[in-house]
Amino acid sequence: MIALLVVLCEVAFWVLLAAGLALRYVARKPRLGAAVLLCEPLLEVVLLVVTAIDLKNGAEPDWKHGLAAVYIGFTVGLGHSTIKWVDARVAHRWFGGPPPVRPPKYGMARAVHEWRTAARWILAAVVALGLLQAAVWYVGSGGETGPLRMWQQKMGWVIGINLIIAGGYTVFPKQAPKGVAEREPADR
């Protein structure tokens, strides 16, 4: 049931996103569109409550409970930037908006961009780690917490990989080819 709810939350995320953008651009109701987009966090609250109830009712923690925590963490860390990314492209592609700002390709500007991206992924992983640890404590020492611990290890990998990528762009900044001067995009 939890895995199905995670899938339903993901589908509902995209449906709400499409509805919010349609209200914003097609119906020309930007406030109503924003209100619909603000309903997105309710999906995670429902998933969190249902997962907690499932564990409270004696369900043995397994990979699905861990997946729910990871999904919530990733929505917290990446949801807002995903909505902004899609909004900018929809506005440009179909409604005459300005072209989306492209990330810088070279130098320390690229490193800064990579650190911002890493920060979002790390936030997602840290939130997931916190929820997973809360689930471990909630289940207590009498329950099997191995699947939850497995997800915690994977979130540690997410953090490590993002630190390595961003650090790589900092230590070894990509240089522009000779004769190519990149215009620095406006800071977001």
Side-chain angles (χ1 to χ4, degrees):
M1 176 174 109
I2 299 298
L4 176 62
L5 187 57
V6 169
V7 171
L8 290 175
C9 283
E10 180 65 12
V11 169
F13 173 86
W14 291 102
V15 168
L16 282 174
L17 179 56
L21 293 176
L23 285 167
R24 180 175 184 170
Y25 294 112
V26 177
R28 300 201 188 278
K29 305 258 185 214
R31 286 187 181 177
L32 185 56
V36 169
L37 292 175
L38 287 173
C39 292
E40 300 263 359
L42 295 176
L43 298 171
E44 284 65 49
V45 171
V46 168
L47 181 59
L48 181 63
V49 168
V50 170
T51 303
I53 290 171
D54 192 43
L55 290 171
K56 177 84 169 152
N57 289 338
E60 198 66 33
D62 62 9
W63 68 271
K64 295 175 283 241
H65 296 97
L67 177 64
V70 169
Y71 176 80
I72 292 168
F74 278 68
T75 302
V76 168
L78 302 168
H80 181 70
S81 62
T82 301
I83 291 170
K84 283 178 61 174
W85 186 88
V86 171
D87 182 37
R89 277 142 187 85
V90 167
H92 174 66
R93 172 92 175 165
W94 289 293
F95 300 101
V101 176
R102 294 188 181 272
K105 292 183 181 179
Y106 308 108
M108 289 313 291
R110 179 60 187 225
V112 169
H113 168 76
E114 291 299 329
W115 279 108
R116 284 187 184 133
T117 301
R120 287 191 290 270
W121 280 91
I122 291 168
L123 172 63
V126 167
V127 169
L129 279 167
L131 290 172
L132 289 162
Q133 187 60 46
V136 167
W137 290 331
Y138 188 67
V139 169
S141 60
E144 171 57 38
T145 59
L148 301 175
R149 297 283 186 200
M150 177 203 60
W151 279 108
Q152 286 180 318
Q153 290 173 349
K154 290 180 189 222
M155 294 303 97
W157 277 99
V158 168
I159 291 169
I161 289 168
N162 277 280
L163 289 173
I164 289 169
I165 291 170
Y169 275 96
T170 303
V171 175
F172 306 107
K174 188 174 178 184
Q175 301 300 317
K178 289 187 178 195
V180 174
E182 181 182 10
R183 196 182 108 227
E184 292 297 319
D187 202 17
R188 294 183 226 171

